[in-house]
Amino acid sequence: MDDTQSMMAATARHMNLRAQAHLTDIDGLVHRVLKLSTSNETILRSAKDFSSKDSQLNGTWQALKSVRNSTVRMSEQQDRLQGVTEKVDALIKSTAQILESNKQDDTITV
């Protein structure tokens, strides 16, 4: 019986050591899972920040596009106004010439 008991004790010690090794492995795995969880939270926060910044950039892009379109329209209107200004200037000059001509015709010479 002494051999049986010592074999059982040796087996128990061996099982105990294996259990402790498994607990150490499990503890290491739990530590890794916690570390990954923290990393995942950081990644999620970064993704949210990126999404927010991306949304802000998209809004800025839309605003800039709108400003550009407005500038193009204003430039087109300015070109049209320049054409109108040139026509008005020509009319003023023509009218001035007509007035000058009429003044000369109205002059009475004695």
Side-chain angles (χ1 to χ4, degrees):
M1 259 203 167
D2 199 23
D3 282 345
T4 305
Q5 285 179 344
S6 69
M7 233 161 98
M8 287 177 67
T11 302
R13 280 193 302 274
H14 178 73
M15 296 291 275
N16 189 20
L17 289 174
R18 286 186 63 195
Q20 286 178 353
H22 287 306
L23 286 175
T24 302
D25 289 345
I26 290 171
D27 187 49
L29 289 173
V30 167
H31 180 70
R32 286 183 190 163
V33 167
L34 290 174
K35 191 173 180 180
L36 286 173
S37 176
T38 302
S39 295
N40 285 343
E41 288 174 10
T42 303
I43 290 168
L44 287 174
R45 274 195 302 275
S46 295
K48 286 178 185 175
D49 289 346
F50 176 78
S51 177
S52 174
K53 288 177 184 174
D54 187 52
S55 178
Q56 290 171 354
L57 283 174
N58 188 37
T60 301
W61 178 75
Q62 291 291 339
L64 288 172
K65 206 167 130 181
S66 176
V67 167
R68 182 194 174 279
N69 290 339
S70 295
T71 304
V72 167
R73 283 193 298 276
M74 288 170 58
S75 176
E76 291 168 351
Q77 290 172 353
Q78 185 176 1
D79 290 345
R80 282 187 233 132
L81 285 174
Q82 182 63 33
V84 169
T85 302
E86 290 170 0
K87 288 177 184 176
V88 169
D89 286 345
L91 285 171
I92 289 171
K93 187 176 181 181
S94 174
T95 304
Q97 288 173 347
I98 291 170
L99 285 172
E100 188 61 37
S101 174
N102 286 345
K103 267 187 185 178
Q104 290 172 4
D105 289 343
D106 288 344
T107 310
I108 300 174
T109 49
V110 183

